[in-house]
Amino acid sequence: MAYLDTPVTLSGLQLKNKIVMPPMCQYSVDAEDGIPNEWHYVHYVSRAVGGTGLIIMEMTDVEPDGRITNRDLGLWSDEQIPAFARIIDEVHKYGSKIGIQIAHAGRKAEDAVHPVGASDFTASADEGLNKPRALTTSEVQEMVVKFREAVRRAVAAGVDVIELHGAHGYLIHQFHSPAINNRSDEYGKDLSRFGVEVIQAARSVMPEGMPLIMRISAVEYMDGGYGLEHSLEIAKAYKAAGVDIFHVSSGGEAPPGKTKPGNHPAYQVPFARAYREALNVPVIAVGKLDDAHVAEATLANGDADLVAVGRAMLDDPYWSLHAAKTIARKVEPPVQYERGIYVR
């Protein structure tokens, strides 16, 4: 039995295999209008042709100043919906499911003249960026509405799933990090509150039964950063608010201090397993799972329900077909490619 290539249904989402292409910014919106172009069309559709079960489109921002750079995707206007829908419709033709990661970069918005965040926190990695200011309480509430409207547009474009970005030092992460969030209002007293309100707002415009994924950093690496127990408590609140699946990553909030991330295959997998066991929810493991045997072992050992393969899919759009060929000794490529890939 090959786990990688086995169909699965998680939280109502039916996938032809357990392989995920995680969000990876392409920084390729030449017009700087947030609208995906031909690069994005080819990029995502080719991974569907390549056999990926679930594709999550890159970080797509809720307002122009929420982008990491001005060449990122956005869903702050209904005018942006058709270009996303074109990609989603074509991906579906090849049997893949697709979602969009909805986000705001917060203080990490490199091209924003006046970046905002949970606080005015900066890290050494922010050198050269404009100093952020803390959102006012009313602006935080307005930001929740912006997330809701971006999710509504993603749903209108035809996605199968929504992912919220609560990792890597971006805005939701900034709120639930005690080392970054020094607010004195209700969003500082309850570090999960902003994320919970965003989740609830997203749920209010999502069809019943559509899964909601939260990408989360299980631990922070900066000195004074939070550990696994803190993120699990935050995740419990997120689960209660409506998250179905956790996409478990780590770090990204600031340069590492005494605690440094691993640099070996599957170094984040133990965090995924901890989430799966503590929360009793499906999880996506990510982080140096490029080797098909390592990805297969992650699933076979019960560490995760899905595996996300990022950089390897940048190298090989057909990673999923090649992994199935390696592990299952069989593969069903598009008929046009059978002469090159087909194995019984």
Side-chain angles (χ1 to χ4, degrees):
M1 176 180 177
Y3 287 81
L4 269 177
D5 200 37
T6 302
V8 65
T9 299
L10 297 174
S11 301
L13 181 66
Q14 296 180 348
L15 302 175
K16 64 181 179 181
N17 59 45
K18 298 183 179 71
I19 302 169
V20 179
M21 179 183 176
M24 292 177 285
C25 289
Q26 298 296 292
Y27 307 110
S28 296
V29 182
D30 298 328
E32 298 189 355
D33 57 5
I35 297 175
N37 55 33
E38 290 306 301
W39 172 265
H40 302 91
Y41 181 87
V42 172
H43 175 64
Y44 291 111
V45 174
S46 64
R47 273 66 185 180
V49 173
T52 305
L54 173 61
I55 295 167
I56 306 177
M57 293 182 71
E58 65 202 80
M59 181 172 169
T60 299
D61 299 289
V62 304
E63 65 174 2
D65 278 348
R67 294 172 291 178
I68 302 173
T69 78
N70 288 344
R71 291 167 60 85
D72 291 345
L73 295 180
L75 267 174
W76 59 79
S77 167
D78 287 359
E79 294 178 358
Q80 296 163 320
I81 295 173
F84 283 92
R86 175 175 176 252
I87 294 171
I88 291 165
D89 289 346
E90 194 68 19
V91 163
H92 284 155
K93 291 180 182 178
Y94 299 97
S96 297
K97 299 297 174 68
I98 183 168
I100 298 175
Q101 184 187 71
I102 304 298
H104 190 292
R107 79 171 211 274
K108 298 177 78 173
E110 298 175 8
D111 289 339
V113 176
H114 303 292
V116 297
S119 67
D120 61 359
F121 174 91
T122 59
S124 59
D126 300 339
E127 186 176 351
L129 303 183
N130 291 322
K131 184 174 175 59
R133 66 169 181 83
L135 289 160
T136 67
T137 301
S138 62
E139 286 175 330
V140 174
Q141 295 163 350
E142 292 167 3
M143 189 66 71
V144 172
V145 175
K146 292 176 182 179
F147 269 89
R148 183 194 69 198
E149 289 302 287
V151 170
R152 176 186 63 78
R153 295 181 183 107
V155 170
V159 295
D160 303 293
V161 62
I162 294 290
E163 178 170 287
L164 298 174
H165 200 348
H168 304 160
Y170 299 116
L171 190 61
I172 294 176
H173 182 170
Q174 291 168 28
F175 273 87
H176 68 229
S177 170
I180 298 174
N181 183 349
N182 61 8
R183 304 176 67 91
S184 59
D185 65 0
E186 56 263 42
Y187 296 100
K189 295 173 183 176
D190 178 356
L191 298 183
S192 69
R193 180 163 180 161
F194 177 66
V196 164
E197 290 186 2
V198 169
I199 292 162
Q200 292 171 337
R203 275 281 174 220
S204 73
V205 293
M206 292 170 62
E208 186 175 353
M210 178 181 284
L212 179 61
I213 302 171
M214 173 66 78
R215 194 167 203 190
I216 195 165
S217 288
V219 300
E220 293 182 321
Y221 296 119
M222 67 179 182
D223 289 338
Y226 66 69
L228 183 61
E229 290 305 314
H230 175 79
S231 76
L232 282 172
E233 287 303 310
I234 295 291
K236 289 175 184 177
Y238 290 173
K239 175 187 174 182
V243 171
D244 299 296
I245 301 169
F246 284 92
H247 189 171
V248 185
S249 187
S250 63
E253 75 296 332
K258 295 177 181 177
T259 301
K260 297 184 183 297
N263 193 32
H264 50 78
Y267 74 98
Q268 294 180 139
V269 167
F271 301 139
R273 186 180 186 99
Y275 265 68
R276 193 171 190 253
E277 292 177 346
L279 301 176
N280 193 30
V281 294
V283 300
I284 305 170
V286 66
K288 289 186 172 287
L289 301 178
D290 299 356
D291 186 299
H293 294 286
V294 174
E296 174 74 2
T298 298
L299 297 169
N301 291 334
D303 295 320
D305 301 274
L306 300 171
V307 289
V309 177
R311 287 175 175 82
M313 281 202 197
L314 297 180
D315 177 63
D316 178 8
Y318 309 105
W319 187 94
S320 300
L321 290 175
H322 294 149
K325 187 175 180 179
T326 297
I327 300 298
R329 304 295 181 186
K330 62 179 181 179
V331 67
E332 296 182 8
V335 64
Q336 296 91 335
Y337 292 168
E338 281 186 355
R339 286 175 293 173
I341 302 177
Y342 188 68
V343 173
R344 290 186 180 278

